[in-house]
Amino acid sequence: MLYIVQASSATAAESSVSRVDARVEQQFDIIHAVSAYLTPTQVQKLRRTADVRIYSNRSLSTRGTSLLGGLSSTLNTVTSSVNNAVASTVVGTVTAQVVAPVVSTVVTVPLVSAVTTPIVAAASSSTSLQDGTGVSSLTLLYQTDYPMLVSADTLQKAGLTGQGVTIAVLDTGLWQDLSQNYGGRILASVDVLNGGSGPVTGDPYGHGTHVTSIAAGGAQNLAGGYLGIAPKANLVVVRAFDGTGAGRYVDVIAGLNWIVAHQKQYNIRVLNLSFGAPPQSYYWDDPLAQAVMAAWRAGIVVVTAAGNEGPDPMTIDVPGNVPYVITVGALTDNYTPYNPNDDRLASFSSTGPTFEGFVKPEMVAPGGHIAASMSSSSYLANIDPNSMNALEQMFTMSGSSMAAAVTTGVVALLIQSEPALTPDMVKCRLLISSHPAVNSAGQLAYSVFQQGAGLINAVGANSSSATDCANQGLNINADLAGTEHFGGPANEDANGNYYIMNLNGSAWGQAQPGDGFSWSTGYPWNQGYTWSQGYVWSQGYTWSKGYTWSKGYTWSKGYTWSKGYTWSKSVPWWNASGSSSSQASPAAIESWVPNE
């Protein structure tokens, strides 16, 4: 079976593997580890070696969902070789195999010109914007609504397009539509799937293409508006997931290792991770989480999907449970983008807190019925043809994957505006400028564990000069060194209500007074609310702090995991005595939910 072996350095790990007569498959300098196939006897020998830790390989899946509900996962084991061939064209080249028109007249780039743009804009100026399943007016101002919903379109008009900032997308690959204008913006690509190191040759699944075009697609409508968030950002494409959206820890860590190693070469400032798996250990004992922390420490803003296991509490995925990174939940505009009064949290959006007591997600972004680029010959498009617009090569999908991609694009805009921003500073400005959902009485409609600080606001974040309001009390160097670990301020009372503790109070675990901190499993999620631009959190961002784990932080109920399982037989999962074959097998696509 495949394992990850960690030691004081990758070289030391390799030496340990060699001493038990096993062969190293891959080397991960990012976490001082290697991967190797080991027999039970070899595993036992290594576990008796000082300063060596062994992790079973685990499975991951992408966090985008489709219109189909209740689709059997057995469907996902079949992939058409024809679809793979059609959607697997070399990144940076044009496919001639797609039967349907590659783009429609709405997004064909030559039509967006100095002649058409002012004409369409003038004709649109007297036309009121309308709601509906799409843009039902003739303005052609928006074919996608999410740039407007997070005010990214305002920054684009001011000249902030992500130019000069490189986004790395670690996903299922990329199929390049001519209308997206990637061209020379794709600086590099690498396919690390199953230990590979060649260039990315397409995206047979489709998820990576969808996510990439949301964050950095360059398609425009006739009025000259961009359909994506950071349309001129540079890209590094890393493929670590197969043609059914499944991935393994070893491949994802290999991708992260490559990204950090090439960070300076390509000026990688932002990293999108739209995938996840249920946590099976503390964040600091998870090798994927360790690699993500290393990327953050290297100066890369890491944006992760919260997961699609909501609305139950404590359903945040790995690596979204890492306290340092920006974890994003999903909202839906209810198909009425110009009416904010019926916006709501998406029912599938995963909810915090994490098992270590951190508030997650930090914020929410549009993740319902998101239209973005995808080949009509991709796996997803053929499984759910009703969500595919073949004439425009656009696919409609819901999920926290999409919300993370929107946020990734916003981060690129902020960094273009102020290149000196550190990851902690970016996170702080997004937190402090977000708009929470409020009801008609001006009270918070959702708990902080559901919406974090609220809906991201690109203009507000760009205008902010805030610092020191994120990741306070944490020490990433000590965390990675294993000398100190951290817990957040969340706890659960005897009635199942989650709350923020006042850690400065006279009694340990005393509830912190403040709006939006308490939440029970019965808290509403399906009602429409307005995202307030004037709400002030009464207790600031005390909930974004971390506290040293050695202070004795405990849950009132003893850290029981959700869905009825506890720590793997009271021992860390990588040392579990039972078979871990299920962890090493490919993952099926996560359960699908209806578009919202």
Side-chain angles (χ1 to χ4, degrees), residues 177-202:
D177 189 328
L178 272 177
S179 72
Q180 298 300 325
N181 294 313
Y182 292 128
R185 295 194 291 124
I186 300 176
L187 304 184
S189 72
V190 60
D191 188 338
V192 299
L193 192 65
N194 298 320
S197 59
V200 174
T201 57

Side-chain angles (χ1 to χ4, degrees), residues 65-424:
T65 59
S66 163
L67 180 64
L68 298 182
L71 182 68
S72 170
S73 62
T74 57
L75 265 178
N76 300 327
T77 61
V78 181
T79 304
S80 164
S81 59
V82 175
N83 293 339
N84 276 336
V86 174
S88 298
T89 57
V90 177
V91 171
T93 64
V94 180
T95 176
Q97 296 174 286
V98 179
V99 177
V102 176
V103 291
S104 74
T105 56
V106 173
V107 293
T108 303
V109 177
L111 292 180
V112 181
S113 69
V115 175
T116 61
T117 297
I119 293 175
V120 173
S124 303
S125 61
S126 60
T127 305
S128 61
L129 300 176
Q130 301 177 31
D131 287 320
T133 56
V135 177
S136 54
S137 68
L138 297 177
T139 64
L140 297 180
L141 285 175
Y142 297 103
Q143 187 162 333
T144 59
D145 302 314
Y146 41 90
M148 173 195 67
L149 292 173
V150 299
S151 70
D153 61 324
T154 301
L155 294 186
Q156 292 168 357
K157 293 171 185 175
L160 292 179
T161 56
Q163 190 166 15
V165 179
T166 303
I167 297 172
V169 180
L170 198 163
D171 212 283
T172 64
L174 179 65
W175 170 79
Q176 186 178 181
D177 189 328
L178 272 177
S179 72
Q180 298 300 325
N181 294 313
Y182 292 128
R185 295 194 291 124
I186 300 176
L187 304 184
S189 72
V190 60
D191 188 338
V192 299
L193 192 65
N194 298 320
S197 59
V200 174
T201 57
D203 181 11
Y205 185 59
H207 185 272
T209 299
H210 202 265
V211 164
T212 302
S213 69
I214 293 169
Q220 292 177 270
N221 56 34
L222 289 180
Y226 291 104
L227 276 61
I229 304 295
K232 293 188 179 180
N234 293 326
L235 286 163
V236 166
V237 180
V238 179
R239 185 186 180 206
F241 292 81
D242 67 16
T244 65
R248 307 180 303 167
Y249 261 41
V250 291
D251 292 330
V252 173
I253 294 172
L256 291 167
N257 191 80
W258 189 95
I259 288 168
V260 172
H262 294 82
Q263 174 194 6
K264 293 183 179 179
Q265 180 179 357
Y266 300 114
N267 189 34
I268 299 171
R269 299 295 307 275
V270 197
L271 170 59
N272 188 91
L273 304 179
S274 288
F275 55 81
Q280 294 190 19
S281 72
Y282 292 122
Y283 74 85
W284 57 81
D285 278 328
D286 187 299
L288 172 56
Q290 293 171 10
V292 168
M293 285 194 287
W296 187 274
R297 181 175 64 175
I300 300 173
V301 180
V302 182
V303 182
T304 69
N308 298 337
E309 287 74 45
D312 290 340
M314 301 184 81
T315 52
I316 300 295
D317 279 341
V318 179
N321 66 332
V322 173
Y324 301 91
V325 304
I326 299 169
T327 304
V328 189
L331 65 89
T332 174
D333 63 14
N334 264 329
Y335 297 93
T336 58
Y338 309 113
N339 176 18
N341 296 317
D342 61 355
D343 291 3
R344 61 174 173 81
L345 190 71
S347 63
F348 55 78
S349 187
S350 285
T351 297
T354 70
F355 295 106
E356 298 82 15
F358 286 98
V359 173
K360 293 281 183 172
E362 275 90 3
M363 60 203 68
V364 293
H369 62 93
I370 300 296
S373 176
M374 188 183 293
S375 167
S376 59
S377 300
S378 68
Y379 183 86
L380 283 175
N382 281 268
I383 284 184
D384 186 12
N386 291 331
S387 292
M388 184 72 211
N389 184 337
L391 293 178
E392 298 180 2
Q393 299 294 293
M394 299 278 281
F395 187 78
T396 299
M397 185 158 49
S398 296
S400 58
S401 282
M402 289 68 248
V406 170
T407 305
T408 291
V410 171
V411 171
L413 303 184
L414 302 184
I415 293 176
Q416 180 194 354
S417 176
E418 194 171 342
L421 290 176
T422 66
D424 283 353

Side-chain angles (χ1 to χ4, degrees), residues 1 57-59 280 579-587:
M1 289 183 57
N57 186 32
R58 289 195 65 205
S59 298
Q280 294 190 19
S579 171
S580 58
S581 59
S582 62
Q583 296 175 351
S585 62

